Amino acid sequence: ATTNVTYGFSPIIPVWKQQQSFTAIPSSTRFSKQDSDDDVDVQVYDNVFSPVACKVIHCLAVEHSFWVNSETSIFLRPPWNTRPLTPLEHVMDSALTALNDSSKLVEYWSREEYMNIDAHVDIDEERLEEEGCLAVPLASHVLYLEVNATIRGPTCVFPSKRTGWDFETYETDKPTVDLVVVPAVQGRILRFPGSAMHAVPCPPDRWLMTDEEERQLREEQCDDDEEEFFDDFDEGGEDDEEDDDEGEEEDDEDDEEEDIERSVLLFNTWPDDGPAPLGAKNVGCSDSLGGARDEEHLVREWEEDYGVDAELIRCNPTSDWYEKLLTEGATTPEEEESSQIRVNLMGDQNRRVFPDSTARLCGPVQELRGALGQENEATWFRLV
């Protein structure tokens, strides 16, 4: 381990092996790589899952999240698994197999709300708290399942910022910061190094707002969280009338499509020779549905609904995938067109590996604003 005296912890830093994780797709004329993208280590693939499969996977993800109380789960991929995979786990295994990723251990969770996520790395949270160590995945993935047409919810990846914003062992002499902006598109998979910082700004142009506007957004979020807490408390305090419950259920069914904002399935692969993330649940078949069920009977039900090994909702053949080559944004903006970009960082000083909760960069604001509002094109910027 490498000791960082400034921030007072001993990070665990697995080596990111590009040859293992980023030369995975079979060669094809559709997969020619732009020279300018070679050192960015971010992959974007479209048409990985069909629209019908995405809708089914969304329902499975919501159901799973409910039963595990929105916590992260883990599973071992075949042939190392000691229990049958759930249909949702087969979905991820199919994508990783297509990517030629041979990792054994997968961590996953889902989210259907478009919410602000500050820049961070998917570290092992409990290990940091209990052992003071930063343990990071090998590869991170975002599968976009459902995206409301009125929402722009891009994922922003900082490939040159590894483990933390100012981690001392990674490219300290690099004067620029790479930023890749990837729009949320149904059926798309985003794949990047598990040690790379990433974020979901909400609203999309949040980093371009003034400090005062950011302060107001934070206050509004706190007020909304408090109001939601008391609403939940009040609803749980007394039973509603049965008729009201039935009416609400009907309304919920009618509005289900409208309620989906930005549904994503998130999954990380972890080093084979390292410990599993602390606190992540290795749910069994019965646990995935919230109660004791006969395992063989449950697997038969899954096979009837989704085919053997969930073949009906597995990823499309790689020959049907399309690599989304990155559009190169302005890298050396004119001074009068360049202004400050405020990147909000998640967590305390030990988590973000940076003394401040925000990082200040300079870049082409108008072009970046356009990329953050894009419907489809993924854009690479080099900021200073």
Side-chain angles (χ1 to χ4, degrees), residues 237-285:
E238 297 181 5
D239 293 333
D240 294 330
E241 294 293 331
E242 184 176 349
D243 292 342
D244 292 340
D245 287 342
E246 293 178 356
E248 289 177 2
E249 289 176 4
E250 293 177 359
D251 291 340
D252 289 343
E253 292 176 2
D254 294 338
D255 296 338
E256 183 176 359
E257 292 288 338
E258 297 179 6
D259 290 342
I260 300 173
E261 296 180 341
R262 179 185 182 272
S263 176
V264 292
L265 178 60
L266 308 153
F267 54 105
N268 298 326
T269 57
W270 284 80
D272 294 343
D273 57 353
L278 295 175
K281 298 179 179 180
N282 188 353
V283 298
C285 292

Side-chain angles (χ1 to χ4, degrees), residues 3 18 31 37 48 50 57 62 72 116 122 135 140 189 223 297 304 319 332 340 349 355 368 382:
T3 302
Q18 182 174 354
F31 286 67
D37 296 346
V48 178
S50 70
I57 298 168
V62 171
T72 62
N116 183 68
D122 293 334
S140 294
I189 272 190
D223 292 341
H297 177 72
E304 291 175 1
S319 58
T332 55
Q340 197 170 80
Q349 186 167 293
L368 179 56
R382 181 154 285 172

Side-chain angles (χ1 to χ4, degrees), residues 35-341:
D35 293 339
S36 60
D37 296 346
D38 286 345
D39 63 347
V40 175
D41 285 358
V42 175
Q43 292 179 306
V44 182
Y45 299 108
D46 284 343
N47 198 41
V48 178
F49 288 87
S50 70
V52 172
C54 285
K55 291 180 179 295
V56 175
I57 298 168
H58 162 76
C59 294
L60 291 172
V62 171
E63 181 181 46
H64 172 83
S65 182
F66 174 79
W67 289 120
V68 300
N69 197 27
S70 300
E71 296 181 4
T72 62
S73 301
I74 57 174
F75 72 96
L76 288 171
R77 298 172 62 200
W80 302 281
N81 56 310
T82 57
R83 61 167 176 80
L85 268 58
T86 67
L88 189 61
E89 291 167 347
H90 276 299
V91 164
M92 292 173 279
D93 179 63
S94 73
L96 292 170
T97 300
L99 287 162
N100 198 25
D101 187 320
S102 59
S103 302
K104 299 178 183 178
L105 182 65
V106 182
E107 174 194 25
Y108 66 98
W109 66 102
S110 64
R111 185 177 294 120
E112 61 176 325
E113 178 185 2
Y114 176 36
M115 57 190 297
N116 183 68
I117 308 293
D118 291 337
H120 68 287
V121 177
D122 293 334
I123 64 167
D124 186 338
E125 304 274 3
E126 290 195 21
R127 195 171 301 279
L128 174 61
E129 182 177 350
E130 295 181 11
E131 303 177 10
C133 297
L134 287 173
V136 300
L138 282 175
S140 294
H141 308 78
V142 182
L143 169 58
Y144 302 94
L145 300 172
E146 298 272 14
V147 183
N148 190 298
T150 64
I151 287 177
R152 298 289 177 266
T155 304
C156 298
V157 183
F158 296 91
S160 59
K161 290 295 184 181
R162 304 289 183 90
T163 306
W165 191 261
D166 198 22
F167 195 74
E168 294 182 354
T169 62
Y170 188 84
E171 297 192 10
T172 55
D173 58 342
K174 191 170 184 177
T176 58
V177 175
D178 289 327
L179 167 62
V180 179
V181 180
V182 181
V185 176
Q186 185 182 58
R188 167 176 288 181
I189 272 190
L190 163 63
R191 176 176 168 91
F192 55 91
S195 58
M197 296 197 74
H198 54 284
V200 181
C202 178
D205 62 348
R206 184 172 189 140
W207 297 344
L208 309 181
M209 295 180 175
T210 65
D211 289 351
E212 176 60 24
E213 290 172 326
E214 171 64 23
R215 186 189 64 78
Q216 292 176 3
L217 283 175
R218 297 279 175 180
E219 289 182 353
E220 290 172 3
Q221 183 61 54
C222 289
D223 292 341
D224 290 343
D225 291 344
E226 183 176 352
E227 182 178 348
E228 182 177 352
F229 171 80
F230 284 109
D231 285 345
D232 292 342
F233 181 82
D234 291 339
E235 290 175 3
E238 297 181 5
D239 293 333
D240 294 330
E241 294 293 331
E242 184 176 349
D243 292 342
D244 292 340
D245 287 342
E246 293 178 356
E248 289 177 2
E249 289 176 4
E250 293 177 359
D251 291 340
D252 289 343
E253 292 176 2
D254 294 338
D255 296 338
E256 183 176 359
E257 292 288 338
E258 297 179 6
D259 290 342
I260 300 173
E261 296 180 341
R262 179 185 182 272
S263 176
V264 292
L265 178 60
L266 308 153
F267 54 105
N268 298 326
T269 57
W270 284 80
D272 294 343
D273 57 353
L278 295 175
K281 298 179 179 180
N282 188 353
V283 298
C285 292
S286 59
D287 294 330
S288 68
L289 291 179
R293 298 282 298 277
D294 177 75
E295 186 175 277
E296 292 185 3
H297 177 72
L298 187 54
V299 171
R300 285 197 299 270
E301 286 185 354
W302 284 340
E303 290 179 349
E304 291 175 1
D305 292 339
Y306 311 109
V308 177
D309 294 338
E311 60 184 354
L312 299 180
I313 55 173
R314 293 171 74 88
C315 69
N316 292 328
T318 54
S319 58
D320 293 339
W321 295 19
Y322 294 89
E323 183 177 26
K324 198 68 180 177
L325 299 179
L326 306 181
T327 300
E328 186 173 350
T331 56
T332 55
E334 296 294 334
E335 184 174 352
E336 62 271 15
E337 297 177 354
S338 177
S339 58
Q340 197 170 80
I341 300 163

